[in-house]
Amino acid sequence: MRRDNNLKNDLIIRTLLGEQTERTPVWMMRQAGRYLPEYIALRNKYSFFERCQTPELACEITLQPVDIVGVDAAILFSDILVVPQAMGMEVQLIEKQGPLLPEPIKTAADLNRIYSAGAAGNLEYVYDAIRMIKKELDGRVPLIGFAGAPWTLLCYMVQGKGSKTFDEAKGFCYQNPKLAHQLLQMITDVTIEYLKGQIAAGADMLQVFDSWGGLLNKQDFETFSLQYIRQIVAAIKDEVPTIVFAKGAWSSLGEMAATGAHGLGIDWCIEAQQARQFAGDKITLQGNYDPARLLAPVEEIQQTTEAMLRAFGPGRHIANLGHGILPNVPVAHAKAFVDTVKAFRHA
Ligand code: CP3
């Protein structure tokens, strides 16, 4: 396991490795983003992919929540959709609507338009950003690198846009399982090389986002998602601590723990004790505050955050939201969540 000895705050790394810590570490999924006025100022000047592809901008945005909100980890500013882009697909980000992939994958001929060999080499700008961020952070907090899980990327690559159900993507898998598995394996191969590139550039730990894992039943989650996540975790877990976040896929927490990941993300629809029962006691749990609860009055945020900390108990817990922070959350409320965790001590 590689560890950066220059880290002044390594609470999150120690928690993932099951070591004792003075307090629970905290960060927020999607913490670098739209609720911060400093981010919106940059958004008004540069397009989304300009922000991702310019290391100076990605670096500045990555550091914003560390400076402004005081979280215990930085997460690389980028997006999971840079991988399909690097594989040869066009990806647009439409303001206030979300991702658009105008030529989605529907047939074997479509699959021939994209490639896996060499694709991770198209993401050099991400590795450059990571090197710059590590230098700029100067050991203040660890840097989290990330990628989307193959299943969640397939959802966007086949559906072509966001969806509540991803029914076209699921239909594709059930009608053309052979093609689906070819695509999932291609994404997996690129993702492994990409994450190894992030490690080489200096990422201290990694998270795999399977935002749509919860759309599949347990058997289909194994078939179309987990067997690929397993390959990714196996390839990186001995190099840096690794978290798997498959939103809604709580019935597979035990199987996900068995991949050898160091941490599992959970959302707010499962209780801490239930998640612990499913996942076993040898893995760190991350979560699970309802992001919409950050819209409540500050005093309530403090009370419910403390209740969450008590429910998970000391050790083997990283405080986080159960999904990404919402754009309409006041910065002071995000800060109240973070400050409450940092002030709390288990009896
Ligand atoms: O966490 C961070 O702060 C780091 C940066 C980050 C972004 N996207 C920046 C972003 C991370 C880790 C992601 C992951 C991501 N991207 C996921 C998995 C996590 C999740 O929330 O489920 C998914 C599904 C995507 C795909 C994606 N990118 C969508 C659906 C959208 C539009 C809707 C939305 O959530 O904003 C994006 C755009 C995007 N990615 C923005 C940001 C800051 C917003 C664009 C903007 O306002 O400028």
Side-chain angles (χ1 to χ4, degrees), residues 27-34 39 43 48 51 75-81 93 95 97-99 146 152 156 162 209 211-212 245 323-324:
W27 69 284
M28 294 179 295
M29 287 192 277
R30 309 296 291 273
Q31 66 188 14
R34 301 159 300 176
Y39 174 80
R43 186 174 67 179
F48 182 73
R51 275 172 271 144
I75 179 159
L76 166 73
F77 178 77
S78 186
D79 199 82
I80 62 169
L81 297 174
L93 223 112
E95 195 77 29
Q97 280 187 42
F146 70 90
T152 287
Y156 288 100
F209 286 91
S211 306
W212 307 115
F245 172 55
H323 201 187

Side-chain angles (χ1 to χ4, degrees), residues 74-92:
I75 179 159
L76 166 73
F77 178 77
S78 186
D79 199 82
I80 62 169
L81 297 174
V82 301
V83 166
Q85 211 171 42
M87 295 172 74
M89 281 189 88
E90 183 184 348
V91 182
Q92 303 170 7

